[in-house]
Each structure stands twice: as C-alpha cells, then as structure tokens.
Amino acid sequence: MLTTTQLVLVLALATGLVALSARRLAALGLAIQFTLSALLLAPVMLQPVLIARLSLGFAACLILFLSATSLARAQRSRMRAGAPPLARMGSLFSLLCVALAGFVATGIYRAFPLPGLPEEITLASYWLVMAGLLLATMEGSVLSQGLAAMTALNGFGVVFLRLESGLLMIGLLSLLEIGLALTVAVLSDQQTESLSRPEID
Amino acid sequence: MALILLLSLPFAAALALWPVRRVRQLAAPISALVYLVLAVLAPLATASPPLVLLGRPLALPADHALYLSYLAVALALLMVGGGFSQESALVWPGSLATFGLLLASASAASAELAGAFMALAVLGVGFCLIAPHTPVTAMRTVLVLLCGAMMMVLAGWAAEAATLDDPAPMIALGQPATFFGLALLLGVFPFGLWAAPLGRAERPTAAFLGICALSLVACLRMDDLASLVQPSLMTALLRWGGVATLVYGAIGALLPRRLSAVVAYAAVADLGVAVLALSGEPASATGLAVRHLAYRGLACATLWVASRVLADCFGSDDLRLLGGGGASCAAYVGGGVAGRAISGRAAAHGGLCQPHGHSGDHGSAPELGHGLGAGRDWARLGPESRGRRVLGRVTAAGQPA
C-alpha cells in the first residue's frame, strides 16, 4: 500500500493534470484517479467486480478523451479562421486552485477523520472531492466542469464504496460515472457547435 | 406483475421511441399515452409483492402511488404540449427513462438506493435540457442536483447504519448530508438558485422534471431521514428556510419579463409553502407537503405548456408581447363591434362574407373585407415575424407622443 507522501504525490499528479489542461491530457489524470480508486478499494471488493469497475472507468475516460479531441479540432478550425480561441481560465490559476484544495484536504483529514475509515481513504476522498468541487466552480466550459465533476464523483466513490460494497450500489455508481461522462460529452459537443457557429457563418 | 410492468414500461417505451424520436407528431402522443398508462398502473402496483433487485427490495407504498400518478398525468400533459412546441428530440425517450428512474427511486425500500436512482435521474434531466443555447445551464443544473443526490445517498446510508452500529458517528455524518441533500434537491433558498435559469431555458419537460418531480420524490423520503436530525433544529431550519424561499420566489416572480421564468419563480415560492408545511406536526407534515408539491407539479406543467404555446404563437413568451397581443385583440374586437353598430348592419347579415373591394350597398363591407385580408396576411406570417410586429406596435404605443 502507498505511504502518505506517495499518496499525496499521486493525488497531486491526478488532479494537477485535470487542472492543467482540462483537455485530452485531463483524461490521463482521470485514468490515474480510477486506478488509485481501484487500488484503495481492492481490500473490500472481489477481483472481477474491481476489474469491471476499472474497465467502466477507463471507458468513461475514453469518452471524455474523444470529446476533448473534438473540442481541440474545433479550436484549431477557429484559429485557422482567425477567430480567438475559446476562453478558459489560465492553467496556472487552476493549478493554484488544486494546490489550495490539497492543503485544505490535508488539514481537514487530520482534524476531522471520517469515522471507521483508514487514513488514506479519508485523505484521498477529501482531496478529490474538494479539488473537483473547486474546479467545477471555477471552470467555464462544459468539458472542464464535467472533468471536475468526475473528479469529485471519484472522491465520493472512494469513500462510499469502502462503506457500502453491495453489488447493486457498485453497479449504480459505475453506471452513474459512465452516464455522467456521456452527458458531459453530449453537452460539450453542443457547446462546441454553438460557439463555433457564428464565426463560421 | 403490475410492479414489474410499472418499473420496466418507461425504459421499454424509451427504447421503442428512440428510432422515431425525430417524428414529433408520432413520438409526442405515444409518450403521452405511455404516461397515462403509468398513471393508471401506479395505484395497481401497490398490491404487488416486493421485487428484489440484487438483494434490495423495491415495493411501491400506497401513499406514494397517488403522487406518482399525478406526476405521470402532468408529464402526459407536457408531452401533448410538446407535440406543438419546440422540444428537443431527446425529450421523449429521455423523459421516459428519467421518470422510470424516479419511479424506482420512489419504490426503493432504502433512502440510499433511492438517492442512487435519483442521481441517475439527474443525468436524464440534463439530456432533456439539451438545446443549442443551454449546455452551460444544463451542466450547472446537473452538477448541483448531482451533489444533492449524492448527499441523499450518504444520508440514506447513514440512516441505515445508525440502526445497526453505534449511531453517534453515523448521525454526525448523516445530519449535514440530510440538510444539504434535501436543500439542494428541493431547491430551498439559497440552495435553489439553479431553479430559475432552468425555468428560463424554454425546455418545459426538463424544467418540470428538475423543479417539480425531483423535489416531490425527495420529499417522499423525508420520513426515512428524519431520525438523523434533531427535531428542534430541523423544525427551525425548515421554518426559516420556507419563509426565505417563499419571499425569494415571490419577489423573483415580479421581475422577469418571460412567462416561463415567472412560472419558475412562482414554483419556487410555492416550494416555500411546502417547506413551511414540512416544519409542522411530524405526523401530517410530510403528507401535506407532498400533496402540495404534487398539485404544484400539475399547475406548473399546465403553465409551462401554456407559455410554450403562447411563445410559438407570438414568437416569444415575453410578457410585453403577450400584453400587446391582448390589447390589440380588444381594440380590434371593440372597433369591429363599433363599426357594425355605426353602419347599422348585424354580423349575421352577410357583411363578413363580402369579397375585398366589393362596392355594393353594404356600406361596411369593403372595410370588413380588408380586415379579413389583413387577417389572412397575419396568419401567413411566421411566429417570430408576428412577435416582432406586435412588439413594434407595443413599443411604438409606449413612446411619448
């Protein structure tokens, strides 16, 4: 199992990638989060269930990656047409938000540990939920907000599936993750279309 | 059997409607019919034995069934109205699947499972809201409601765990989860700021599912979660939260110019009344509040359909346009009656049937014929042109001479 320092580094990498790009690279950050979540939940879940959950998580990452690719293509066509790129908060600003969430999470997990749960679960869930909610509040585009929401949902999943590892709840949460990824992809495509239409016309 | 049919019919109908979702004239009446069947099935399903889903029982209590029938009737109304107005093609299958998840949520024996079904239903609300101008509103609504649903899941788990283990830590976890979850899902002020933009988005089905249906199903779970919260604290929060929501909704309804936004704010104000009812005597509080929310759902569905139909006729549901239309109508009717009275001809005399430009001894016939020609031109105009024409007349009338 990971030490606290290793866990903090992995969490910083996973959320930092989401904050840094909020595009294709962010899908890699999400994949790291899903892997970490599987690692933390391994003691309470059967291996086939864990593998199925991980596969669904990677499928969600792939959906968001494709959506980000489509957004990048729209971005390129806008730049070729001489239109300004789609506005987004700066990467440094988002990274600072994640750093703030991380500091708060490390403080809170010592002061208010979740009852009956190991330290690493508490730290990971606080970190992911806080970083996700903060980024969802700060980001402007649908895809960035969706990636942040997936991060927060991962944090919730880590703590909740440790408490309640029934097959139905695992299935419903996994369905929710892939459903959220689909919703984000559809809404992001809609936003890309509506933003690029006036410039093309 | 009735319960299995009730829980599976919406999903089966959603799948069946998927290939014809773009044919509005076909998809809208079929969806309305399915909702009416569901409204009839819900009371019948209460007598069915519980359905066990991976060890978790699903059974529809008799007092929930009536309210679900109300929701189904309201949705049938929205589907019929959607047949005449601009709804996205995803609304027909999307709303059916969402309603199926809400039915499962109301039937779940535990609040935890109900919260998980509700979280999935929130995604359905997002799909029903899809339009070229709404992706940001849809994403924000999904984010806020998803947070509320996740809180409900956590609160439901804490309520179950509190009966098994040492209750103290579970109540410490469950109390804030219950407060925030219910406040977000119901839309209590200040957590209900998502409701007004959802109402303004010109997607009545999504607005109904988000503002009315989710709050009703969440309210049905109040009794399960009441054990987690101190009664005195809950009463005080609900009372003041209800008053704040009522005032916010009432003031908010005075400000917007769009009818759909006014309905959304009115729904928020009505929610304040329901939340005030929740703070009453525990034995009857939930029943009163849920009944009020069910009536509110029906009223909101009717008003949203009306606002969409008016918007299609006038080009927008801007209150200035509608007021202008009403004023013009009164002027035309008054002028017509006065003209007929002056010319001494009754309408039944055949004057209205005279062709345009006829110069017989029927004195008012050319004017009336001209009026009919103008009417035909008006009918040929598109809704937006009609709206612009009325708005231009109202703006011109509003300017000082």
Side-chain angles (χ1 to χ4, degrees), chain A residues 114-115 133 136 142 145-146 149 153 156 160 163-164 168-169 172 175-176 179-180 183-184 186-187 190-191 194 197, chain B residues 53-54 56 112-113 116-117 119-120 123 127 130-132 135-136 138-140 143 146-147 150 153-154 157 169 173:
Chain A
L114 293 171
L133 290 181
V142 166
Q145 285 179 345
L153 192 61
F156 180 83
F160 187 74
L163 292 168
E164 164 68 87
L168 186 60
M169 289 311 290
L172 285 176
L175 203 61
L176 184 64
L180 182 61
T183 312
V184 170
V186 170
L187 290 175
Q190 191 81 57
Q191 190 185 33
S194 62
R197 203 173 294 135
Chain B
L53 192 67
L54 290 172
R56 299 278 192 151
E112 176 192 2
L113 193 56
F117 281 124
L120 285 168
L123 301 182
F127 270 101
I130 287 172
V136 176
M139 194 64 226
R140 283 183 188 155
L143 276 176
L146 203 56
C147 282
M150 290 291 106
V153 172
L154 199 59
W157 172 82
L173 202 63

